[in-house]
Amino acid sequence: MIKDAYWFDALAYVQKKPFLKYNKTCDIYLLTLDKLVDLEQYLDNLECDGDCIDECEFVSNLDLNTFFRYNDSVRLVKLDEQNWKFSSCSCKDYLKDYMCQHIIVVLLSKKLIQVPEKYLDSVIGCKPRPGRKKKAMPWNVRQ
């Protein structure tokens, strides 16, 4: 059972239109809201063994702020297709509860789960009707 807070967080995250990319070699999904992050470069740096550190132009230009921006903006989600409850993520919420909004976002994008009906109102929302509200006072009466 997924907690209500994770559903609300995941639906809010989906509204922000995250960028999702699947990497076949590592069998992981990369999820980010920052469109400026080069995900291929990020994966190459994760797999770097350190032998090429003097020749690597990305590492030579890397400062602490850039490292934190990459680390905070990209989430790695390892999806277990057989049983999605065994999926994992690189965020701190997953380390605490073994479930997070990022896993739910990936599951929703792969259509492995659906949003329960009780959360659909928060996704769709209601648009107000045009015109004056019925309980509103006339325009010339001061409230």
Side-chain angles (χ1 to χ4, degrees):
M1 187 77 174
I2 301 173
K3 294 180 184 178
D4 292 344
Y6 290 129
W7 278 111
F8 289 125
D9 291 344
L11 295 175
Y13 197 82
V14 168
Q15 294 291 326
K16 296 177 185 176
K17 300 189 185 332
F19 183 68
L20 181 70
K21 184 173 183 173
Y22 178 68
N23 188 312
K24 291 180 183 178
T25 57
C26 299
D27 192 30
I28 58 171
Y29 289 89
L30 294 127
L31 188 65
T32 183
L33 291 174
D34 189 4
K35 306 287 189 221
L36 301 176
V37 173
D38 185 9
L39 296 176
E40 292 297 326
Q41 184 69 40
Y42 181 75
L43 272 179
D44 289 342
N45 290 331
L46 286 178
E47 296 172 352
C48 183
D49 57 359
D51 293 338
C52 64
I53 200 157
D54 295 330
E55 301 166 2
C56 184
E57 91 180 34
F58 179 77
V59 174
S60 64
N61 296 331
L62 187 67
D63 61 348
L64 195 59
N65 291 333
T66 309
F67 171 76
F68 282 131
R69 192 184 87 214
Y70 272 98
N71 198 32
D72 291 340
S73 64
V74 178
R75 296 292 174 239
L76 304 173
V77 178
K78 177 106 170 123
L79 191 65
D80 187 351
E81 302 258 346
Q82 303 299 323
N83 190 354
W84 61 265
K85 294 178 184 177
F86 296 126
S87 300
S88 61
C89 183
S90 63
C91 71
K92 64 180 179 175
D93 289 335
Y94 175 78
L95 295 174
K96 182 179 179 185
D97 293 332
Y98 300 112
M99 177 54 69
C100 70
Q101 65 186 1
H102 307 108
I103 294 174
I104 297 172
V105 169
V106 172
L107 290 171
L108 288 172
S109 69
K110 296 286 290 173
K111 298 184 180 172
L112 294 175
I113 61 171
Q114 293 180 349
V115 180
E117 288 185 28
K118 69 179 185 178
Y119 304 111
L120 286 178
D121 288 341
S122 64
V123 175
I124 297 170
C126 297
K127 292 185 178 179
R129 292 184 176 196
R132 190 177 74 131
K133 307 261 188 270
K134 292 187 186 329
K135 293 182 181 179
M137 303 286 278
W139 68 272
N140 60 352
V141 175
R142 187 174 181 153
Q143 294 184 9

